[in-house]
Coordinates of all heavy atoms in Angstrom, one line a residue:
M1 N -6.3 -3.0 68.5 CA -6.6 -4.4 68.5 C -8.0 -4.6 68.9 O -8.4 -4.2 70.0 CB -5.6 -5.1 69.5 CG -5.8 -6.6 69.6 SD -4.6 -7.4 68.7 CE -3.7 -8.3 70.0
W2 N -8.8 -5.3 68.1 CA -10.1 -5.7 68.6 C -10.6 -7.0 68.0 O -10.1 -7.4 66.9 CB -11.2 -4.7 68.5 CG -11.8 -4.4 67.2 CD1 -12.9 -5.0 66.6 CD2 -11.5 -3.3 66.3 NE1 -13.2 -4.4 65.4 CE2 -12.3 -3.4 65.2 CE3 -10.5 -2.3 66.4 CZ2 -12.3 -2.5 64.2 CZ3 -10.5 -1.4 65.3 CH2 -11.3 -1.5 64.2
K3 N -11.4 -7.7 68.7 CA -11.7 -9.1 68.3 C -10.5 -9.9 68.1 O -10.4 -10.7 67.2 CB -12.6 -9.1 67.1 CG -14.0 -8.5 67.3 CD -14.9 -8.8 66.0 CE -15.7 -7.6 65.7 NZ -16.2 -7.7 64.3
G4 N -9.4 -9.6 68.8 CA -8.2 -10.3 68.8 C -7.4 -10.1 67.5 O -6.4 -10.8 67.3
V5 N -7.8 -9.1 66.7 CA -7.0 -8.9 65.4 C -6.5 -7.5 65.4 O -7.3 -6.5 65.8 CB -8.0 -9.1 64.2 CG1 -7.2 -8.9 62.9 CG2 -8.6 -10.5 64.2
E6 N -5.3 -7.3 64.9 CA -4.8 -5.9 64.8 C -5.4 -5.2 63.6 O -5.5 -5.8 62.5 CB -3.3 -6.0 64.7 CG -2.6 -4.8 65.3 CD -1.1 -4.9 65.3 OE1 -0.6 -5.8 66.0 OE2 -0.4 -4.2 64.6
Q7 N -6.0 -4.0 63.8 CA -6.7 -3.3 62.8 C -6.0 -2.0 62.4 O -5.4 -1.4 63.3 CB -8.1 -3.0 63.2 CG -8.9 -4.1 63.8 CD -9.6 -4.9 62.8 OE1 -9.7 -4.6 61.6 NE2 -10.1 -6.1 63.2
G8 N -6.0 -1.6 61.2 CA -5.5 -0.4 60.8 C -6.5 0.6 60.3 O -7.5 0.1 59.7
F9 N -6.3 1.9 60.5 CA -7.3 2.8 60.0 C -6.7 3.5 58.8 O -5.8 4.3 58.9 CB -7.7 3.8 61.0 CG -8.2 3.2 62.3 CD1 -7.6 3.4 63.5 CD2 -9.3 2.4 62.2 CE1 -8.1 2.8 64.7 CE2 -9.8 1.7 63.4 CZ -9.2 2.0 64.6
K10 N -7.3 3.2 57.6 CA -6.6 3.8 56.4 C -7.3 5.1 55.9 O -6.6 5.9 55.3 CB -6.7 2.7 55.3 CG -5.9 1.5 55.6 CD -5.6 0.6 54.4 CE -4.9 -0.6 54.8 NZ -5.7 -1.6 55.5
N11 N -8.6 5.3 56.2 CA -9.2 6.5 55.7 C -8.8 7.7 56.5 O -8.5 7.5 57.7 CB -10.7 6.4 55.4 CG -11.5 6.4 56.7 OD1 -11.0 6.9 57.7 ND2 -12.6 5.8 56.7
P12 N -8.6 8.8 55.9 CA -8.0 10.0 56.6 C -9.0 10.8 57.5 O -8.6 11.8 58.0 CB -7.5 10.8 55.4 CG -8.5 10.5 54.3 CD -8.9 9.1 54.5
E13 N -10.2 10.3 57.6 CA -11.2 11.0 58.4 C -10.7 11.2 59.8 O -10.1 10.3 60.4 CB -12.5 10.2 58.5 CG -13.4 10.3 57.3 CD -14.6 9.4 57.5 OE1 -15.3 9.6 58.5 OE2 -14.7 8.5 56.7
L14 N -10.8 12.4 60.4 CA -10.4 12.7 61.7 C -11.5 12.3 62.7 O -12.1 13.1 63.4 CB -10.0 14.1 61.9 CG -8.7 14.5 61.2 CD1 -8.5 16.1 61.2 CD2 -7.5 13.9 61.8
Q15 N -11.8 11.0 62.7 CA -12.8 10.5 63.6 C -12.2 9.5 64.5 O -11.5 8.6 64.0 CB -13.9 9.9 62.7 CG -15.3 10.6 62.9 CD -16.3 9.9 62.1 OE1 -16.1 8.9 61.5 NE2 -17.5 10.5 62.0
L16 N -12.6 9.6 65.7 CA -12.1 8.6 66.7 C -12.8 7.3 66.4 O -14.0 7.2 66.5 CB -12.3 9.1 68.1 CG -11.7 8.3 69.3 CD1 -10.2 8.3 69.1 CD2 -12.1 8.9 70.6
K17 N -12.0 6.2 66.2 CA -12.5 4.9 65.8 C -12.5 3.9 66.9 O -13.3 3.0 67.0 CB -11.7 4.3 64.6 CG -11.8 5.2 63.4 CD -13.0 4.8 62.5 CE -12.9 5.4 61.2 NZ -14.1 5.3 60.4
S18 N -11.5 4.1 67.8 CA -11.3 3.0 68.8 C -10.8 3.6 70.1 O -9.9 4.5 70.1 CB -10.2 2.1 68.2 OG -9.9 1.1 69.2
I19 N -11.4 3.2 71.2 CA -11.0 3.6 72.5 C -10.7 2.3 73.3 O -11.5 1.4 73.4 CB -12.1 4.4 73.2 CG1 -12.4 5.7 72.5 CG2 -11.7 4.6 74.7 CD1 -13.5 6.5 73.2
D20 N -9.5 2.2 73.8 CA -9.1 1.1 74.7 C -8.4 1.7 75.9 O -7.3 2.1 75.8 CB -8.2 0.1 73.9 CG -7.8 -1.1 74.8 OD1 -8.1 -1.1 76.0 OD2 -7.3 -2.1 74.3
I21 N -9.2 1.8 77.0 CA -8.6 2.3 78.2 C -8.9 1.2 79.3 O -9.2 1.4 80.4 CB -9.1 3.7 78.7 CG1 -10.6 3.9 78.3 CG2 -8.3 4.8 78.1 CD1 -11.1 5.3 78.8
S22 N -8.8 0.0 78.8 CA -9.0 -1.2 79.6 C -7.8 -1.4 80.6 O -6.7 -0.8 80.4 CB -9.1 -2.5 78.8 OG -7.9 -2.7 78.1
S23 N -8.1 -2.1 81.7 CA -7.0 -2.5 82.6 C -6.4 -1.2 83.3 O -5.2 -1.1 83.3 CB -5.9 -3.3 82.0 OG -6.5 -4.5 81.5
N24 N -7.2 -0.3 83.7 CA -6.8 0.9 84.4 C -7.6 0.8 85.7 O -8.1 -0.2 86.1 CB -7.0 2.1 83.6 CG -5.9 2.4 82.6 OD1 -4.8 2.7 83.0 ND2 -6.3 2.1 81.3
N25 N -7.6 2.0 86.4 CA -8.4 2.0 87.6 C -9.4 3.2 87.5 O -9.5 3.9 88.4 CB -7.4 2.2 88.8 CG -8.1 1.9 90.2 OD1 -9.1 1.3 90.2 ND2 -7.4 2.3 91.3
L26 N -10.0 3.2 86.4 CA -11.0 4.3 86.2 C -12.2 4.1 87.0 O -12.7 2.9 87.1 CB -11.4 4.4 84.7 CG -10.3 4.7 83.7 CD1 -10.8 4.5 82.3 CD2 -9.9 6.2 83.9
S27 N -12.7 5.2 87.6 CA -13.9 5.0 88.5 C -15.0 6.0 87.9 O -14.7 6.8 87.0 CB -13.6 5.3 89.9 OG -13.0 6.5 90.0
G28 N -16.2 5.9 88.5 CA -17.3 6.8 88.0 C -18.1 6.1 87.0 O -18.0 4.9 86.8
E29 N -18.8 6.9 86.2 CA -19.8 6.4 85.3 C -19.3 6.7 83.8 O -18.5 7.6 83.6 CB -21.2 7.0 85.5 CG -21.7 6.7 86.9 CD -23.1 7.2 87.1 OE1 -23.8 7.6 86.1 OE2 -23.6 7.1 88.2
I30 N -19.9 6.0 82.9 CA -19.6 6.4 81.5 C -20.5 7.6 81.2 O -21.7 7.6 81.4 CB -20.1 5.2 80.5 CG1 -19.3 3.9 80.8 CG2 -19.9 5.7 79.1 CD1 -19.7 2.8 79.9
P31 N -19.9 8.7 80.7 CA -20.7 9.9 80.4 C -21.6 9.7 79.2 O -21.3 9.0 78.3 CB -19.6 11.0 80.1 CG -18.4 10.2 79.7 CD -18.4 8.9 80.4
K32 N -22.8 10.3 79.3 CA -23.8 10.2 78.3 C -23.2 10.7 76.9 O -23.7 10.2 75.9 CB -25.0 11.0 78.6 CG -25.9 10.5 79.7 CD -27.1 11.3 79.9 CE -27.9 11.0 81.1 NZ -27.7 9.7 81.8
E33 N -22.3 11.6 77.0 CA -21.7 12.2 75.8 C -21.0 11.2 74.9 O -20.6 11.5 73.8 CB -20.7 13.3 76.2 CG -21.4 14.6 76.7 CD -21.8 14.5 78.2 OE1 -21.6 13.5 78.9 OE2 -22.5 15.4 78.6
I34 N -20.8 10.0 75.5 CA -20.2 8.9 74.6 C -21.0 8.8 73.3 O -20.5 8.4 72.3 CB -20.1 7.6 75.4 CG1 -19.3 6.5 74.6 CG2 -21.5 7.0 75.7 CD1 -18.3 5.9 75.4
G35 N -22.3 9.1 73.4 CA -23.2 9.0 72.3 C -22.8 9.9 71.1 O -23.3 9.8 70.0
Y36 N -21.9 10.9 71.3 CA -21.4 11.8 70.2 C -20.3 11.1 69.4 O -20.0 11.7 68.3 CB -20.9 13.1 70.8 CG -22.0 14.0 71.4 CD1 -21.8 14.5 72.7 CD2 -23.2 14.3 70.8 CE1 -22.8 15.2 73.3 CE2 -24.1 15.1 71.4 CZ -23.9 15.5 72.6 OH -24.9 16.3 73.2
L37 N -19.7 10.1 69.9 CA -18.6 9.5 69.2 C -19.1 8.5 68.1 O -18.8 7.3 68.1 CB -17.7 8.8 70.2 CG -17.1 9.6 71.3 CD1 -16.3 8.8 72.3 CD2 -16.2 10.7 70.8
V38 N -19.8 9.1 67.1 CA -20.5 8.3 66.2 C -19.6 7.4 65.3 O -20.1 6.5 64.7 CB -21.4 9.1 65.3 CG1 -22.6 9.6 66.1 CG2 -20.7 10.3 64.7
G39 N -18.3 7.8 65.2 CA -17.4 7.0 64.3 C -16.8 5.8 65.0 O -16.1 5.0 64.4
L40 N -17.1 5.6 66.3 CA -16.5 4.6 67.1 C -16.8 3.2 66.6 O -18.0 2.8 66.5 CB -16.9 4.7 68.6 CG -15.9 4.4 69.7 CD1 -14.6 5.2 69.5 CD2 -16.5 4.7 71.0
V41 N -15.8 2.4 66.4 CA -15.9 1.0 66.0 C -15.7 0.0 67.1 O -16.3 -1.0 67.2 CB -15.0 0.7 64.8 CG1 -15.0 -0.7 64.4 CG2 -15.3 1.6 63.6
S42 N -14.8 0.4 68.0 CA -14.4 -0.5 69.1 C -14.3 0.3 70.4 O -13.7 1.3 70.4 CB -13.1 -1.1 68.7 OG -12.5 -1.8 69.8
L43 N -14.9 -0.2 71.4 CA -14.8 0.4 72.8 C -14.5 -0.7 73.8 O -15.2 -1.7 74.0 CB -16.2 1.0 73.1 CG -16.4 1.6 74.5 CD1 -15.5 2.8 74.6 CD2 -17.8 2.0 74.7
N44 N -13.3 -0.5 74.4 CA -12.9 -1.4 75.4 C -12.6 -0.7 76.7 O -11.6 0.0 76.9 CB -11.6 -2.2 75.0 CG -11.3 -3.4 75.9 OD1 -11.9 -3.5 77.0 ND2 -10.4 -4.2 75.4
L45 N -13.5 -0.9 77.7 CA -13.4 -0.2 79.0 C -13.3 -1.3 80.1 O -13.5 -1.1 81.3 CB -14.6 0.7 79.3 CG -14.9 1.8 78.3 CD1 -16.2 2.5 78.8 CD2 -13.7 2.8 78.3
S46 N -12.9 -2.5 79.7 CA -13.0 -3.6 80.6 C -11.9 -3.5 81.7 O -10.9 -2.7 81.5 CB -12.8 -5.0 79.9 OG -11.4 -5.1 79.5
R47 N -12.1 -4.2 82.8 CA -11.1 -4.2 83.9 C -10.8 -2.8 84.5 O -9.6 -2.4 84.5 CB -9.8 -4.9 83.4 CG -10.0 -6.3 83.0 CD -8.8 -6.9 82.2 NE -9.2 -8.1 81.5 CZ -8.9 -9.3 81.9 NH1 -8.1 -9.5 82.9 NH2 -9.3 -10.3 81.2
N48 N -11.9 -2.1 84.9 CA -11.7 -0.9 85.6 C -12.6 -0.9 86.8 O -13.1 -2.0 87.2 CB -12.1 0.3 84.6 CG -11.0 0.7 83.7 OD1 -9.9 1.2 84.1 ND2 -11.1 0.4 82.4
N49 N -12.9 0.2 87.4 CA -13.8 0.3 88.5 C -15.0 1.2 88.2 O -15.5 1.9 89.0 CB -13.1 0.9 89.7 CG -12.3 -0.2 90.4 OD1 -12.7 -1.3 90.7 ND2 -11.0 0.2 90.7
L50 N -15.5 1.1 86.9 CA -16.6 1.9 86.5 C -17.9 1.3 87.1 O -18.1 0.1 87.3 CB -16.7 1.9 85.0 CG -15.5 2.5 84.3 CD1 -15.4 2.2 82.8 CD2 -15.4 4.0 84.5
R51 N -18.8 2.3 87.4 CA -20.1 1.8 88.0 C -21.3 2.6 87.3 O -21.1 3.3 86.4 CB -20.1 2.0 89.5 CG -19.7 3.4 90.0 CD -19.6 3.4 91.5 NE -18.5 2.5 91.9 CZ -18.6 1.4 92.6 NH1 -19.8 0.9 92.9 NH2 -17.6 0.7 92.9
G52 N -22.4 2.5 87.9 CA -23.6 3.1 87.4 C -24.2 2.3 86.3 O -23.8 1.2 86.0
E53 N -25.2 2.9 85.6 CA -25.8 2.2 84.5 C -25.1 2.5 83.2 O -24.4 3.5 83.0 CB -27.3 2.8 84.3 CG -28.1 2.4 85.5 CD -29.6 2.6 85.3 OE1 -30.0 2.9 84.1 OE2 -30.4 2.4 86.2
I54 N -25.2 1.5 82.3 CA -24.6 1.7 80.9 C -25.6 2.7 80.2 O -26.8 2.4 80.1 CB -24.6 0.4 80.2 CG1 -23.7 -0.6 80.9 CG2 -24.1 0.6 78.7 CD1 -23.7 -2.0 80.4
P55 N -25.1 3.9 79.8 CA -26.0 4.9 79.2 C -26.6 4.4 77.9 O -26.0 3.8 77.1 CB -25.1 6.1 78.9 CG -23.7 5.6 78.9 CD -23.6 4.4 79.8
C56 N -27.9 4.7 77.8 CA -28.7 4.2 76.6 C -28.1 4.9 75.3 O -28.3 4.3 74.2 CB -30.2 4.3 76.7 SG -30.7 6.0 76.9
E57 N -27.4 6.0 75.5 CA -26.9 6.7 74.4 C -25.9 5.9 73.6 O -25.5 6.2 72.4 CB -26.2 8.0 74.8 CG -27.1 9.1 75.2 CD -27.7 9.0 76.6 OE1 -27.4 8.0 77.3 OE2 -28.5 9.8 77.0
I58 N -25.4 4.8 74.2 CA -24.4 3.9 73.6 C -25.0 3.3 72.3 O -24.3 3.0 71.3 CB -23.9 2.8 74.5 CG1 -22.5 2.4 74.2 CG2 -24.9 1.7 74.7 CD1 -21.8 1.6 75.3
G59 N -26.4 3.3 72.3 CA -27.1 2.7 71.1 C -27.0 3.7 69.9 O -27.3 3.3 68.8
S60 N -26.6 4.9 70.1 CA -26.4 5.8 69.0 C -25.1 5.5 68.2 O -24.9 6.1 67.1 CB -26.3 7.3 69.5 OG -27.2 7.6 70.4
L61 N -24.3 4.7 68.7 CA -23.0 4.4 68.1 C -23.2 3.3 67.1 O -22.8 2.1 67.4 CB -21.9 4.1 69.1 CG -21.8 5.2 70.2 CD1 -20.8 4.8 71.3 CD2 -21.4 6.5 69.6
R62 N -23.7 3.6 65.9 CA -24.2 2.6 65.0 C -23.0 1.9 64.3 O -23.2 0.9 63.6 CB -25.1 3.2 63.9 CG -26.3 3.9 64.5 CD -27.2 2.8 65.2 NE -28.2 3.4 66.0 CZ -29.4 3.8 65.6 NH1 -29.7 3.7 64.4 NH2 -30.3 4.4 66.4
S63 N -21.8 2.4 64.4 CA -20.7 1.8 63.7 C -20.0 0.8 64.6 O -19.1 0.1 64.1 CB -19.6 2.9 63.3 OG -20.2 3.9 62.6
L64 N -20.4 0.7 65.8 CA -19.7 -0.2 66.8 C -19.7 -1.7 66.3 O -20.8 -2.2 65.9 CB -20.3 -0.1 68.2 CG -19.8 1.0 69.1 CD1 -20.5 0.9 70.4 CD2 -18.3 0.8 69.3
E65 N -18.6 -2.3 66.4 CA -18.4 -3.7 66.0 C -18.1 -4.5 67.3 O -18.3 -5.7 67.3 CB -17.4 -3.9 65.0 CG -17.8 -3.4 63.6 CD -16.7 -3.5 62.6 OE1 -15.8 -4.3 62.8 OE2 -16.8 -2.9 61.5
S66 N -17.5 -3.8 68.3 CA -17.1 -4.5 69.5 C -17.2 -3.6 70.7 O -16.8 -2.5 70.7 CB -15.6 -4.9 69.2 OG -15.0 -5.4 70.4
I67 N -17.9 -4.2 71.7 CA -18.0 -3.5 73.0 C -17.5 -4.4 74.1 O -18.1 -5.6 74.2 CB -19.5 -3.1 73.3 CG1 -20.0 -2.2 72.2 CG2 -19.5 -2.3 74.7 CD1 -21.5 -1.9 72.4
D68 N -16.6 -4.0 74.9 CA -16.1 -4.8 76.0 C -16.2 -4.0 77.3 O -15.4 -3.1 77.5 CB -14.7 -5.3 75.8 CG -14.3 -6.4 76.8 OD1 -15.0 -6.5 77.8 OD2 -13.2 -7.0 76.6
L69 N -17.2 -4.2 78.1 CA -17.4 -3.5 79.4 C -17.2 -4.4 80.6 O -17.7 -4.2 81.7 CB -18.7 -2.8 79.4 CG -19.1 -1.9 78.3 CD1 -20.5 -1.3 78.5 CD2 -18.1 -0.7 78.2
S70 N -16.6 -5.6 80.3 CA -16.5 -6.6 81.3 C -15.6 -6.2 82.5 O -14.8 -5.3 82.4 CB -16.0 -7.9 80.7 OG -14.6 -7.7 80.2
R71 N -15.8 -6.9 83.6 CA -15.0 -6.7 84.8 C -15.0 -5.2 85.3 O -14.0 -4.6 85.5 CB -13.6 -7.2 84.6 CG -13.6 -8.7 84.4 CD -12.2 -9.2 84.1 NE -12.3 -10.6 83.6 CZ -12.4 -11.7 84.4 NH1 -12.3 -11.5 85.7 NH2 -12.6 -12.9 83.9
N72 N -16.2 -4.7 85.5 CA -16.5 -3.4 86.2 C -17.5 -3.6 87.2 O -17.7 -4.7 87.7 CB -16.9 -2.4 85.1 CG -15.7 -1.9 84.3 OD1 -14.9 -1.1 84.9 ND2 -15.5 -2.3 83.1
H73 N -18.2 -2.5 87.6 CA -19.3 -2.6 88.6 C -20.6 -2.1 88.0 O -21.3 -1.4 88.8 CB -18.9 -1.9 89.9 CG -17.6 -2.4 90.4 ND1 -17.4 -3.6 91.1 CD2 -16.4 -1.8 90.4 CE1 -16.2 -3.7 91.4 NE2 -15.5 -2.7 91.0
F74 N -20.8 -2.2 86.7 CA -22.0 -1.7 86.1 C -23.3 -2.4 86.7 O -23.2 -3.6 87.0 CB -22.0 -1.8 84.6 CG -21.0 -1.0 84.0 CD1 -19.9 -1.6 83.3 CD2 -21.1 0.4 84.0 CE1 -19.0 -0.8 82.7 CE2 -20.1 1.2 83.4 CZ -19.1 0.6 82.7
S75 N -24.3 -1.6 86.9 CA -25.6 -2.1 87.5 C -26.7 -1.7 86.6 O -26.6 -0.9 85.7 CB -25.7 -1.7 88.9 OG -25.6 -0.2 89.0
G76 N -27.9 -2.1 87.0 CA -29.1 -1.7 86.3 C -29.4 -2.6 85.1 O -28.9 -3.7 85.1
K77 N -30.1 -2.0 84.1 CA -30.5 -2.8 83.0 C -29.5 -2.7 81.8 O -28.8 -1.7 81.7 CB -31.8 -2.4 82.5 CG -33.0 -2.6 83.4 CD -34.3 -2.1 82.8 CE -35.4 -2.4 83.8 NZ -36.6 -1.7 83.3
I78 N -29.5 -3.7 81.0 CA -28.7 -3.6 79.7 C -29.6 -2.8 78.8 O -30.8 -3.1 78.6 CB -28.5 -5.0 79.1 CG1 -27.6 -5.8 80.1 CG2 -27.9 -4.9 77.7 CD1 -27.5 -7.3 79.7
P79 N -29.1 -1.6 78.3 CA -29.9 -0.8 77.5 C -30.5 -1.5 76.2 O -29.7 -2.1 75.5 CB -29.0 0.4 77.1 CG -27.7 0.1 77.5 CD -27.7 -1.1 78.4
S80 N -31.8 -1.4 76.0 CA -32.3 -2.1 74.8 C -31.9 -1.4 73.5 O -31.9 -2.0 72.5 CB -33.9 -2.0 74.9 OG -34.3 -0.7 74.9
S81 N -31.3 -0.2 73.6 CA -30.8 0.5 72.4 C -29.7 -0.2 71.8 O -29.3 0.0 70.6 CB -30.4 1.9 72.8 OG -29.4 1.9 73.8
L82 N -29.0 -1.1 72.6 CA -27.9 -1.9 72.0 C -28.4 -2.7 70.8 O -27.6 -3.0 69.9 CB -27.4 -2.9 73.0 CG -26.4 -2.3 74.1 CD1 -25.9 -3.4 75.0 CD2 -25.2 -1.6 73.4
S83 N -29.7 -3.1 70.8 CA -30.2 -3.9 69.6 C -30.2 -3.1 68.3 O -30.5 -3.7 67.3 CB -31.6 -4.4 70.0 OG -32.5 -3.3 70.1
E84 N -30.0 -1.8 68.4 CA -30.0 -0.9 67.2 C -28.7 -0.9 66.5 O -28.6 -0.3 65.4 CB -30.5 0.5 67.6 CG -31.9 0.6 68.0 CD -32.3 1.8 68.8 OE1 -31.6 2.9 68.6 OE2 -33.2 1.8 69.6
I85 N -27.7 -1.5 67.1 CA -26.4 -1.6 66.5 C -26.2 -2.8 65.7 O -26.0 -3.9 66.2 CB -25.3 -1.5 67.6 CG1 -25.5 -0.4 68.5 CG2 -23.9 -1.4 66.9 CD1 -24.5 -0.3 69.7
D86 N -26.5 -2.7 64.4 CA -26.6 -3.9 63.5 C -25.3 -4.7 63.4 O -25.3 -5.9 63.3 CB -27.0 -3.5 62.1 CG -28.5 -3.0 62.1 OD1 -29.2 -3.4 62.9 OD2 -28.8 -2.1 61.2
G87 N -24.2 -4.0 63.4 CA -22.9 -4.6 63.1 C -22.2 -5.2 64.3 O -21.1 -5.6 64.2
L88 N -22.9 -5.1 65.5 CA -22.2 -5.6 66.7 C -21.9 -7.0 66.6 O -22.7 -7.9 66.6 CB -23.1 -5.2 67.9 CG -22.4 -5.2 69.3 CD1 -21.3 -4.2 69.3 CD2 -23.5 -4.9 70.3
G89 N -20.6 -7.3 66.6 CA -20.1 -8.7 66.5 C -19.7 -9.3 67.8 O -19.6 -10.5 68.0
K90 N -19.3 -8.4 68.7 CA -18.8 -8.8 70.0 C -19.3 -7.9 71.1 O -19.2 -6.7 71.1 CB -17.2 -8.8 70.0 CG -16.6 -8.9 71.3 CD -15.6 -10.1 71.4 CE -15.2 -10.3 72.8 NZ -14.4 -11.5 73.0
L91 N -19.9 -8.5 72.1 CA -20.4 -7.8 73.3 C -20.1 -8.5 74.5 O -20.5 -9.7 74.7 CB -22.0 -7.6 73.2 CG -22.7 -7.0 74.3 CD1 -22.2 -5.5 74.5 CD2 -24.2 -7.0 74.2
D92 N -19.2 -8.0 75.4 CA -18.8 -8.6 76.6 C -19.2 -7.7 77.8 O -18.6 -6.7 78.0 CB -17.3 -8.9 76.6 CG -16.9 -9.8 77.7 OD1 -17.7 -10.1 78.6 OD2 -15.8 -10.3 77.7
L93 N -20.2 -8.2 78.5 CA -20.7 -7.4 79.7 C -20.5 -8.3 81.0 O -21.0 -8.0 82.0 CB -22.2 -7.1 79.6 CG -22.6 -6.3 78.4 CD1 -24.1 -6.1 78.3 CD2 -21.9 -4.9 78.3
S94 N -19.6 -9.3 80.8 CA -19.4 -10.3 82.0 C -18.8 -9.6 83.2 O -18.2 -8.6 83.1 CB -18.6 -11.4 81.5 OG -17.3 -11.0 81.2
H95 N -19.0 -10.2 84.3 CA -18.4 -9.8 85.6 C -18.8 -8.3 85.9 O -18.0 -7.5 86.1 CB -16.9 -9.9 85.6 CG -16.4 -11.3 85.4 ND1 -16.4 -12.2 86.5 CD2 -16.1 -12.0 84.3 CE1 -16.0 -13.4 86.0 NE2 -15.8 -13.3 84.7
N96 N -20.1 -8.1 85.9 CA -20.7 -6.8 86.4 C -21.9 -7.2 87.3 O -22.0 -8.3 87.7 CB -21.2 -6.0 85.2 CG -20.0 -5.3 84.5 OD1 -19.4 -4.4 85.1 ND2 -19.7 -5.7 83.3
S97 N -22.7 -6.2 87.6 CA -23.9 -6.5 88.4 C -25.2 -6.1 87.7 O -26.0 -5.4 88.3 CB -23.8 -5.7 89.8 OG -22.7 -6.1 90.4
L98 N -25.2 -6.4 86.4 CA -26.4 -6.0 85.6 C -27.6 -6.9 86.0 O -27.4 -8.1 86.3 CB -26.0 -6.2 84.1 CG -24.9 -5.2 83.7 CD1 -24.3 -5.6 82.4 CD2 -25.5 -3.8 83.6
Ligands
NAG101 C1 -10.1 -5.5 76.1 O1 -8.9 -5.3 76.7 C2 -8.4 -6.5 77.5 C3 -7.1 -6.2 78.1 O2 -7.1 -5.1 79.0 C4 -8.4 -7.7 76.6 O3 -8.0 -8.8 77.4 C5 -9.7 -7.9 75.9 O4 -9.6 -9.0 75.0 C6 -10.1 -6.7 75.2 N1 -11.4 -6.9 74.6 C7 -11.6 -7.0 73.3 C8 -13.0 -7.2 72.8 O5 -10.7 -6.9 72.4
NAG102 C1 -8.1 2.3 92.5 O1 -8.9 3.4 92.9 C2 -9.5 3.3 94.2 C3 -10.3 4.6 94.4 O2 -11.1 4.8 93.3 C4 -8.4 3.2 95.2 O3 -9.0 3.1 96.5 C5 -7.5 2.0 94.9 O4 -6.4 2.0 95.8 C6 -7.0 2.1 93.5 N1 -6.2 0.9 93.2 C7 -5.0 0.9 92.6 C8 -4.4 -0.4 92.3 O5 -4.5 2.0 92.3

């Protein structure tokens, strides 16, 4: 589910398209290796206890349409690489310390 709509993955590519581990109690930082998940369309890590900076590698995820990192403890700057994601339709960074 992203952007409030249930989505289906019809093509058989074995590529991870969506991660939703929201509303858990995850702590620590987002690993830079997130930049390898190039097929990712939707990322929802909201409502956890994640901290540190948002890795600039997130800008490598050119397929992303939705990013929700709200309600964590992220700090530092919003990576400028986010502007390289052309299809980004939804970006929620609310309730952090950016
Ligand atoms: C992310 O997950 C939360 C529930 O844990 C939900 O309320 C929110 O709408 C989701 N974000 C998006 C962009 O779908
Ligand atoms: C969440 O994790 C923190 C440690 O990272 C812990 O202190 C806290 O009790 C946990 N909260 C819940 C609801 O499990």
Side-chain angles (χ1 to χ4, degrees):
M1 178 101 116
W2 76 84
K3 294 190 218 163
V5 181
E6 211 171 297
Q7 309 276 350
F9 302 124
K10 296 197 183 71
N11 75 24
E13 282 174 59
L14 289 172
Q15 236 181 11
L16 190 59
K17 298 273 192 191
S18 177
I19 296 180
D20 184 346
I21 37 181
S22 61
S23 301
N24 280 287
N25 195 15
L26 294 167
S27 53
E29 302 188 5
I30 300 182
K32 292 187 190 335
E33 287 78 7
I34 190 128
Y36 294 128
L37 301 174
V38 290
L40 215 55
V41 174
S42 166
L43 178 64
N44 192 345
L45 302 178
S46 75
R47 297 164 197 257
N48 280 293
N49 281 312
L50 296 167
R51 55 186 64 249
E53 296 196 3
I54 299 170
C56 62
E57 285 79 1
I58 208 164
S60 313
L61 306 178
R62 302 296 167 86
S63 305
L64 274 177
E65 293 178 15
S66 168
I67 303 176
D68 189 347
L69 303 181
S70 62
R71 296 177 191 273
N72 280 286
H73 306 285
F74 292 114
S75 55
K77 293 180 182 171
I78 297 172
S80 59
S81 59
L82 280 182
S83 67
E84 290 160 28
I85 309 175
D86 290 332
L88 196 59
K90 166 122 192 173
L91 175 64
D92 192 347
L93 303 177
S94 65
H95 298 277
N96 280 293
S97 301
L98 295 162

